[in-house]
């Protein structure tokens, strides 16, 4: 057996042989394309934990959709999106009308939302239903789910391209956006549109990675990309590449090890983050070698 045939048998043949593996791979690549750039923008805005909060906040809406329609993907998606939008709106209202900051109000709301969602699903479903919604099943993605994921990823890429300059200005100087609009709401419009994109991608991710891990493919490659590049376009491209590699490697490992795919994909993204911490230009090893006492 030649080296190429061995590589082909190990790394390519599972996707050629099984249609569910091909669908899972396309879903992982679509999620990488749509979610990872949003993670970069979240880190740029110092809102990294917002993604975690929103991924849990969609659970009550998913639970309501499950109660009335079972594991119907459209119902679960609409319910999750509505819950995410509601949580964003309530957190924004609290921050505008009280002394509590938006991140604190979001933290308070998402904990309650997560608990409420788990209670609803536990009372009206089985333990398997709860595990499916919390942790996802990337190998179970059907054509309907794949269309949803691809549609959300396409819409996200187009929206980021159309709003890129505004999102960038609002990230660095929201006060400038408000003054430029003249009504004090310019930056708020961009922020709300951006958060809607985050909610859309988290809802699209929950079928494959679950509500508890959907944020992993959004944030881990994004944080890792910042260690490699100074410029934002390079970080966006790097994050997508790392998320795609994590998805591909995670599917292969889960196939041969017979372990759940979603958690393995996140672990692979975490492994890439660990390598970046060590070897990236802003990582530990290059910084160590640049210390004056180590120079000749």
């Amino acid at each position: 057996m030649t080296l190429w045939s061995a590589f082909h048998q190990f790394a390519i043949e599972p996707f050629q042989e099984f249609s569910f593996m091909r669908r899972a791979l396309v879903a992982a690549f679509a999620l990488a394309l749509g979610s990872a750039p949003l993670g970069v923008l979240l880190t740029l805005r110092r809102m990294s934990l917002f993604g975690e909060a929103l991924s849990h906040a969609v659970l009550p809406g998913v639970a309501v959709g499950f109660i009335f329609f079972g594991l119907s993907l459209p119902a679960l998606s609409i319910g999750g999106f509505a819950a995410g939008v509601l949580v964003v709106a309530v957190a924004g209202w609290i921050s505008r009308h009280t002394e509590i900051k938006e991140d604190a109000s979001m933290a308070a709301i998402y904990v309650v939302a997560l608990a409420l969602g788990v209670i609803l699903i536990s009372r009206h479903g089985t333990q398997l239903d709860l595990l499916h919604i919390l942790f996802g099943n990337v190998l179970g993605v059907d054509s309907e789910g794949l269309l949803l994921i691809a549609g959300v990823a396409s819409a996200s890429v187009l929206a980021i391209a159309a709003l890129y300059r505004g999102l960038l200005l609002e990230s660095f100087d929201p006060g400038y956006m408000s003054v430029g609009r003249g009504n004090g709401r310019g930056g708020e419009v961009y922020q709300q549109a951006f958060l809607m994109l985050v909610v859309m991608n988290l809802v699209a991710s929950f079928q494959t990675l679950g509500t508890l891990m959907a944020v992993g493919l959004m944030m881990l490659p994004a944080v890792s990309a910042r260690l490699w590049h100074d410029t934002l376009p390079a970080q966006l491209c790097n994050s997508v590449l790392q998320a795609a590699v994590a998805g591909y490697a995670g599917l292969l490992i889960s196939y041969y090890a017979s372990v759940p795919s979603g958690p393995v994909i996140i672990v692979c993204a975490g492994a890439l983050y660990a390598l970046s911490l060590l070897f990236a230009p802003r990582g530990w090893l290059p910084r160590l070698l640049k210390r004056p006492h180590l120079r000749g």
Side-chain angles (χ1 to χ4, degrees):
M1 180 181 294
T2 65
L3 182 62
W4 165 250
S5 61
F7 172 79
H8 183 276
Q9 182 178 356
F10 174 79
I12 300 177
E13 193 170 286
F15 301 102
Q16 288 183 332
E17 185 174 354
F18 300 106
S19 59
F20 69 88
M21 289 289 289
R22 292 194 296 272
R23 286 196 298 268
L25 183 63
V26 173
F29 285 169
L31 289 175
L33 186 62
S35 296
L38 294 174
V40 173
L41 292 173
L42 280 171
T43 59
L44 183 64
R45 293 159 173 257
R46 301 180 185 274
M47 296 171 62
S48 300
L49 293 179
F50 263 56
E52 179 72 18
L54 286 174
S55 69
H56 299 333
V58 304
L59 188 57
V62 173
V64 172
F66 171 77
I67 291 171
F68 288 100
F69 300 98
L71 292 174
S72 168
L73 181 59
L76 298 180
S77 301
I78 293 173
F81 181 75
V85 171
L86 180 61
V87 167
V88 169
V90 171
W93 184 89
I94 292 174
S95 66
R96 288 193 299 271
H97 293 86
T98 69
E99 294 184 358
I100 300 177
K101 298 297 183 181
E102 192 169 8
D103 59 338
S105 61
M106 181 72 76
I109 294 171
Y110 98 80
V111 173
V112 176
L114 176 62
L116 180 61
V118 171
I119 291 173
L120 289 174
I121 297 172
S122 298
R123 285 182 59 86
H124 295 84
T126 66
Q127 189 73 14
L128 183 61
D129 294 327
L130 179 61
L131 291 175
H132 176 79
I133 292 174
L134 291 179
F135 298 102
N137 180 19
V138 66
L139 295 181
V141 176
D142 54 13
S143 299
E144 185 181 35
L146 195 57
L147 286 175
L148 172 66
I149 295 170
V152 169
S154 301
S156 297
V157 172
L158 292 175
I160 291 174
L163 303 175
Y164 181 78
R165 289 176 62 86
L167 290 174
L168 199 59
L169 285 173
E170 197 272 332
S171 298
F172 285 108
D173 192 357
Y176 172 81
M177 290 292 296
S178 299
V179 173
R181 291 281 180 176
N183 57 7
R185 297 178 62 85
E188 183 180 336
V189 171
Y190 276 96
Q191 179 170 344
Q192 294 303 315
F194 171 70
L195 290 178
M196 292 304 100
L197 289 176
V198 174
V199 172
M200 285 173 52
N201 278 269
L202 291 174
V203 169
S205 302
F206 89 86
Q207 185 193 14
T208 56
L209 299 174
T211 57
L212 292 185
M213 296 191 183
V215 72
L217 205 62
M218 181 180 289
M219 296 309 306
L220 281 170
V223 175
S224 180
R226 293 192 59 133
L227 296 169
W228 289 96
H229 307 286
D230 294 324
T231 62
L232 184 59
Q235 290 179 23
L236 294 174
C237 295
N238 185 299
S239 66
V240 171
L241 178 61
Q242 287 199 46
V245 170
Y248 175 77
L251 288 173
L252 271 185
I253 293 173
S254 68
Y255 173 78
Y256 287 109
S258 298
V259 291
S261 301
V264 177
I265 290 174
I266 303 305
V267 169
C268 289
L272 292 175
Y273 173 57
L275 291 174
S276 299
L277 284 175
L278 291 175
F279 301 111
R282 293 182 176 182
W284 174 77
L285 190 58
R287 289 170 66 90
L288 178 67
L289 295 177
K290 289 181 181 179
R291 290 181 180 178
H293 71 276
L294 293 178
R295 295 177 181 173

